Amino acid sequence: MTTTRRDPSKRPDEGRREQLLEAASRVIARDGIAAASTRRIAEEAGVPPGLVHYWFAGKDDLLESVIADNLSVVGGAVSEASLSDSGAGLLPPLAAAFEAIAADDRGRQIAMFEMTCWALRRTELNKVARNQYASYRRIALEAVEASGATFPPDTDPAVVAQLLAALTDGLTLAWLADPEGTDVTAVLELAARALSDTPASE
């Protein structure tokens, strides 16, 4: 997918881009990805359709940016927890990640899974899904490295990060499908204990 954009430094109103991202996120969360045409997004944002193409190469580029924008929220929460609770083990960043997810709009979290499937169904957009999960692993690895947790000999922290990313992703889907049957806190505490020698909590 080609996502050529004009030089952002030449754009006088960067707030328009954020306005369009927020509008796209609302449309996808409310109506699903199939409804997220550039015209519909422009209507939601209250701007002319041509403005979407000024900021984004097309729908694919816009939706890829929506994914990145959503991930930045979780990544920011994990980074903040990792800094404030550095050396406190795996539980604080795991809990922070899920708190950010739980505080988000339910429709938008469902849309994240929908957008992943959308990207996987189109060969030219498979890299969008790969980049999404690479971001999950990067966020998890930052948390692992800041946690102060110790692991069995020869354990690769990057593999621990892969496991945490997969756990969080699957736990989120389970919670969205069956919140009453998914004890998020217990699962995260068990994971923190099982994956390291560092206590999950005091």
Side-chain angles (χ1 to χ4, degrees), residues 15-116:
R16 286 292 193 186
R17 182 178 187 277
E18 297 305 315
Q19 182 182 356
L20 288 168
L21 284 174
E22 290 171 5
S25 187
R26 288 195 302 271
V27 170
I28 295 167
R30 185 181 63 237
D31 304 319
I33 197 167
S37 65
T38 55
R39 180 171 295 277
R40 182 76 170 272
I41 290 166
E43 290 174 356
E44 180 75 18
V47 301
L51 195 60
V52 176
H53 297 284
Y54 176 74
W55 288 97
F56 302 95
K59 176 178 175 178
D60 295 343
D61 184 25
L62 174 56
L63 296 183
E64 184 174 1
S65 297
V66 169
I67 292 174
D69 191 56
N70 289 351
L71 287 175
S72 70
V73 175
V74 175
V78 171
S79 295
E80 183 177 345
S82 296
L83 288 173
S84 61
D85 296 300
S86 180
L90 291 171
L91 186 56
L94 284 173
F98 199 82
E99 285 170 7
I101 291 167
D104 196 11
D105 178 77
R106 174 181 169 83
R108 189 160 72 163
Q109 286 301 315
I110 294 171
M112 286 293 283
F113 289 98
E114 188 178 1
M115 285 188 285
T116 303

Side-chain angles (χ1 to χ4, degrees), residues 170-199:
L171 187 59
T172 300
L173 184 57
W175 175 76
L176 288 168
D178 183 14
E180 292 184 1
T182 306
D183 191 336
V184 173
T185 299
V187 171
L188 295 181
E189 289 179 347
L190 176 60
R193 289 196 304 269
L195 289 173
S196 74
D197 297 327
T198 304

Side-chain angles (χ1 to χ4, degrees), residues 128-140:
V128 174
R130 287 198 301 272
N131 290 342
Q132 178 183 354
Y133 279 78
S135 294
Y136 289 157
R137 294 191 298 273
R138 176 185 53 75
I139 292 168

